[in-house]
Amino acid sequence: MREIVIVGGGYAGFYAAWGIEKKLRRGEARVTVIDPRPYMTYQPFLPEVVAGSVEARHAAVSQRRHLRHTRLIAGSVSRIRHADHTLTVRPAKGDEYQLSYDTLVVTAGAVTRKFPIPGLADQAIGLKHVEEAVAIRDRLMTAFDRAACLPPGPERRRLLTVTFVGGGFAGVEGFGELLSLATAMLKSYPELSLDDLFFHMVEARGRILPEVSDKQGEWVVDSLRRRGGHVHLNTQLVSAENGRVKLSTGEEFDCGLIVWTAGNASNPVVHNHTDLPLDARGLIMVRPDLRVGTDSDPLPGVWAAGDDAAVPDLAVPGSYTVPNAQHAVRQGRLLAKNIVADLRGGRVREYKHASLGVIATLGLGHGIFEYKRIVVRGFLAWLMHRGYHLLSVPSWERKARVLSVWLTAAVFGRDLVSLASVQHPRDAFVKGGEVGTTVRAELPDGARATSRTAA
């Protein structure tokens, strides 16, 4: 059998593997997916996970549940040597080893792009994975519990100050959803008011949401400001040491939660540890049919898509497809068709997809949709956002679970419970009970006795 190895189980990799295994005949080829996580993250739901509108597990699509005929390797790829048709696998446990392939698919996905800002690595949380979204939500809820026990002052202000750095889709949606959650929580905390909340968004450019038109971008800024958010445009984060946020404008404030969403970078294995052809941005050079290489010099048996690939955008000649879910999902599906067709000596197709427009959630009941001259804002746009992503999330099982959570919340409201202790699950066991502690007690006659406590 031919060995088809897929590096990365994100959007493009998951859909490619899912489609290939459905199309393969018995014994025709074996598919292997290498990814450190056992699930594909449906990233458009992460802002709603932050807000508690979607359960964390419902934004994670199990690979083993859906890729039933695919070999799954929990690990990462540290080097690709196409000259030898081998790659180096670094498993979650154990030593690195070599893996050979006949067909290689690189969909390793992007990583969070960071800058050498003092304190950033120690203080900030990203918003690219389910675990990060859950941590952001739990940290805010824990801050509310602590702030409610404090009198007005610097410590209460610090606990209820949130800073998002980056005004792209992830930052704006995450900021809007967390702001919506915080304002909704005030009903359960009579000790606190809207004046106690300080939500800051920091964007280096002069506008947010670059995917929408300038006019609509300005409307989004105004909308967030009307709801109590502070949007800092043409501003950079200078320092975050010890939770003290310093901006390029000279403004400073203590912050209890810093979320970094200032862009992505290609996976290190792509731009540092591969002999595949790269462009000036460090992305894999890809033909319109998703083969690696150029029109005149394709590499046989190598394909790429998603955030790490420079895929020509045939709908907008002279440009490349933007790294978003809308393209990655469709590229993954085309990868499956083209790889199977190539395996059987058939004809492969080029990738061409015109944008369906831009849609974003800005918090519960708030949204924006724009397609050419059509603009929808507010509650209807928010409903459209939910409907689109409910249809887009893989499998009917996930659709049903997400819909059930939404319907339950519509009747009973959000579930405002923090499980921050899950991040340190052994604390209660280690500290609680103090089993074996020696206790000394005074007896009536002045003698001393010892006993052992029980949990």
Side-chain angles (χ1 to χ4, degrees), residues 144-152 156 160 185-196:
F144 262 71
D145 289 332
R146 294 175 178 174
C149 300
L150 296 174
R156 175 191 271 194
L160 299 179
M185 288 174 63
L186 291 174
K187 298 177 183 179
S188 302
Y189 291 83
E191 306 89 345
L192 305 176
S193 69
L194 188 61
D195 294 335
D196 292 311

Side-chain angles (χ1 to χ4, degrees), residues 96-244:
E96 292 186 343
Y97 61 90
Q98 302 293 315
L99 186 66
S100 300
Y101 62 82
D102 297 298
T103 299
L104 175 66
V105 184
V106 182
T107 54
V111 296
T112 301
R113 180 181 60 184
K114 297 185 290 291
F115 297 102
I117 298 174
L120 178 65
D122 298 325
Q123 300 292 330
I125 302 177
L127 185 51
K128 193 170 182 61
H129 302 290
V130 174
E131 300 90 340
E132 294 171 323
V134 173
I136 292 169
R137 176 175 181 260
D138 286 345
R139 185 169 294 189
L140 178 72
M141 289 185 167
T142 301
F144 262 71
D145 289 332
R146 294 175 178 174
C149 300
L150 296 174
E155 181 59 16
R156 175 191 271 194
R157 183 184 181 107
R158 183 191 70 81
L159 286 169
L160 299 179
T161 299
V162 177
T163 301
F164 273 70
V165 184
F169 255 103
V172 171
E173 291 192 318
F175 183 85
E177 287 287 356
L178 197 64
L179 178 59
S180 177
L181 172 64
T183 52
M185 288 174 63
L186 291 174
K187 298 177 183 179
S188 302
Y189 291 83
E191 306 89 345
L192 305 176
S193 69
L194 188 61
D195 294 335
D196 292 311
L197 301 181
F198 300 92
F199 274 64
H200 299 268
M201 169 167 286
V202 179
E203 170 54 48
R205 293 167 294 188
R207 55 164 299 175
I208 62 176
L209 276 186
E211 293 82 0
V212 304
S213 63
D214 291 344
K215 181 179 180 181
Q216 304 312 319
E218 292 173 359
W219 178 85
V220 172
V221 171
D222 292 340
S223 173
L224 294 175
R225 285 173 173 167
R226 286 195 301 269
R227 292 162 56 195
H230 305 273
V231 182
H232 306 264
L233 301 178
N234 296 309
T235 306
Q236 296 179 347
L237 177 67
V238 175
S239 174
E241 286 188 295
N242 301 316
R244 180 73 177 177

